């Protein structure tokens, strides 16, 4: 209430409140992107590839170009060199780690719906897995045995490694009534602290000056023509802090647009297939009657 009221009172604190609003909005944006990445039983939007990865890459390239990490990453003066200084690996990591952690926390939150749905559906039912012959039963039994044996560490392992089937672990934890804080704590630690940090380190390393120079050197030895084209594109893209648009930015925006279109089309196709399957099932039941 007090924080809301401060928005309607003019005074020296107005600039501080405005800055605080911008900070909250900025990090909330990454949390929401993380939720969109993991929610939907594996059908989420790949926001690391679309948003967080490019942001880390741009910060890394700007830091090496400016020889400093003293620049804004949002607002009208974003990614403009301010002053020279140090631009080491740890400096760049500190520059982007909060966005990465917020994104990872969002992915952990996005894993909660399968857990709660399975937990609610399992109340009053048999909680012991059946030893069936189907792949589904065997997989469920394997995951259940692993989680019961290792508990918190088992969930942490599932969450920390790139695992598109983590929803199965969440459903299993909910079905067999694994305590909420055991599941969410391990998921938050694995996805936010371990997995997102490792991904961030990989992107920073991939776009570091040493790596880019190494790739250009290999291209120069293999194909001088390709090396010249790559060097020209890279040199033009490094000018994004002085221009409104770069070649690399244009190409990346096109790739993002194509990936978004593909995501929408694939989602519509999935809904259409589900609808056709429901219609066929309804006709089959009708003929059977």
């Amino acid at each position: 209430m007090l924080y809301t009221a401060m928005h309607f009172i003019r005074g020296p604190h107005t600039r501080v409140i405005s800055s605080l609003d911008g900070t909250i909005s900025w990090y909330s944006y990454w949390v929401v992107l993380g939720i969109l990445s993991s929610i939907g039983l594996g059908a989420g939007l790949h926001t690391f590839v679309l948003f967080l990865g490019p942001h880390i890459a741009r910060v890394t390239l700007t830091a090496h170009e400016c020889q400093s990490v003293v620049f804004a990453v949002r607002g009208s003066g974003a990614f403009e060199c301010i002053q020279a200084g140090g631009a080491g690996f740890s400096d760049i990591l500190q520059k982007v780690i909060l966005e990465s952690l917020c994104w990872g926390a969002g992915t952990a939150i996005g894993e909660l719906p399968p857990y709660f749905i399975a937990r609610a559906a399992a109340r009053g039912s048999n909680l012991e897995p059946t030893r069936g012959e189907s792949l589904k039963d065997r997989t469920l039994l394997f995951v259940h045995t692993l989680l019961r044996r290792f508990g918190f560490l088992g969930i942490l392992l599932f969450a920390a490694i790139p695992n598109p089937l983590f929803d199965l672990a969440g459903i299993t934890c909910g079905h067999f009534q694994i305590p909420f804080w055991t599941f969410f704590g391990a998921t938050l630690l694995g996805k936010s602290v371990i997995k997102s940090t490792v991904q961030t380190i990989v992107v920073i390393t991939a776009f570091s000056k040493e790596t880019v120079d190494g790739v250009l050197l290999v291209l120069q030895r293999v194909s001088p023509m390709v090396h010249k084209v790559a060097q020209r594109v890279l040199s033009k893209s490094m000018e994004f802090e002085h221009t409104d648009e770069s070649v690399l930015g244009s190409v990346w925006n096109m790739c993002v647009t194509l990936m978004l279109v593909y995501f929408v089309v694939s989602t519509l196709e999935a809904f259409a297939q589900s609808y056709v399957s429901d219609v066929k099932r309804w006709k089959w039941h009708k003929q059977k009657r």
Side-chain angles (χ1 to χ4, degrees):
M1 292 292 291
L2 179 61
Y3 179 74
T4 304
M6 295 291 284
H7 288 78
F8 301 96
I9 302 174
R10 296 289 182 179
H13 64 279
T14 304
R15 182 176 297 180
V16 177
I17 293 296
S18 178
S19 176
L20 186 59
D21 286 342
T23 302
I24 293 174
S25 300
W26 173 251
Y27 292 112
S28 298
Y29 166 75
W30 294 110
V31 173
V32 172
L33 287 179
I35 294 173
L36 293 176
S37 177
S38 60
I39 201 167
L41 294 173
L45 188 65
H46 300 292
T47 54
F48 183 89
V49 176
L50 295 174
F51 298 99
L52 183 58
H55 172 73
I56 298 171
R58 190 175 185 185
V59 170
T60 304
L61 292 174
T62 305
H64 287 298
E65 179 69 13
C66 300
Q67 290 298 311
S68 172
V69 293
V70 184
F71 54 86
V73 295
R74 64 181 190 272
S76 58
F79 299 100
E80 293 183 357
C81 297
I82 298 177
Q83 65 183 42
F89 177 86
S90 60
D91 299 318
I92 300 173
L93 182 61
Q94 292 176 13
K95 187 75 174 178
V96 297
I97 192 63
L98 287 180
E99 290 89 338
S100 178
L101 292 177
C102 289
W103 179 85
T107 62
I109 296 172
E111 300 292 352
L112 293 179
Y115 169 82
F116 283 122
I117 293 173
R119 185 173 184 175
R123 288 176 179 172
S125 61
N126 182 21
L127 297 181
E128 289 299 322
T130 58
R131 296 181 178 273
E133 296 297 329
S134 66
L135 178 62
K136 176 184 175 182
D137 291 336
R138 284 182 291 176
T139 304
L140 188 64
L141 180 61
F142 169 75
V143 175
H144 174 257
T145 304
L146 184 66
L147 294 179
R148 287 193 64 177
R149 179 174 298 179
F150 297 102
F152 184 91
L153 293 178
I155 302 172
L156 179 64
L157 177 64
F158 269 92
I161 61 176
N163 183 12
L165 299 178
F166 184 79
D167 287 319
L168 182 61
I171 292 173
T172 305
C173 289
H175 181 76
F176 297 112
Q177 305 295 307
I178 301 295
F180 169 76
W181 286 111
T182 300
F183 170 74
F184 184 67
T187 303
L188 183 64
L189 181 62
K191 285 185 171 290
S192 180
V193 177
I194 300 177
K195 182 180 176 181
S196 65
T197 302
V198 171
Q199 290 176 322
T200 301
I201 291 173
V202 169
V203 175
I204 294 175
T205 304
F207 285 88
S208 65
K209 189 177 186 300
E210 293 79 9
T211 304
V212 173
D213 291 342
V215 172
L216 290 176
L217 183 61
V218 172
L219 288 177
Q220 186 177 17
R221 293 177 179 176
V222 174
S223 176
M225 184 178 297
V226 176
H227 169 262
K228 289 181 180 179
V229 174
Q231 196 170 32
R232 190 180 303 117
V233 171
L234 186 62
S235 62
K236 288 184 179 180
S237 68
M238 286 298 186
E239 299 174 359
F240 59 77
E241 66 267 18
H242 304 297
T243 59
D244 294 331
E245 190 173 7
S246 64
V247 176
L248 186 60
S250 300
V251 173
W252 178 255
N253 289 335
M254 185 180 298
C255 292
V256 169
T257 302
L258 290 175
M259 283 186 284
L260 286 172
V261 170
Y262 172 77
F263 174 77
V264 172
V265 171
S266 61
T267 303
L268 292 176
E269 287 180 351
F271 279 121
Q273 291 175 358
S274 177
Y275 175 75
V276 170
S277 178
D278 291 339
V279 170
K280 288 182 178 179
R281 191 180 299 108
W282 177 78
K283 289 182 177 179
W284 183 81
H285 284 294
K286 187 176 180 181
Q287 292 175 356
K288 190 175 181 181
R289 292 178 182 176

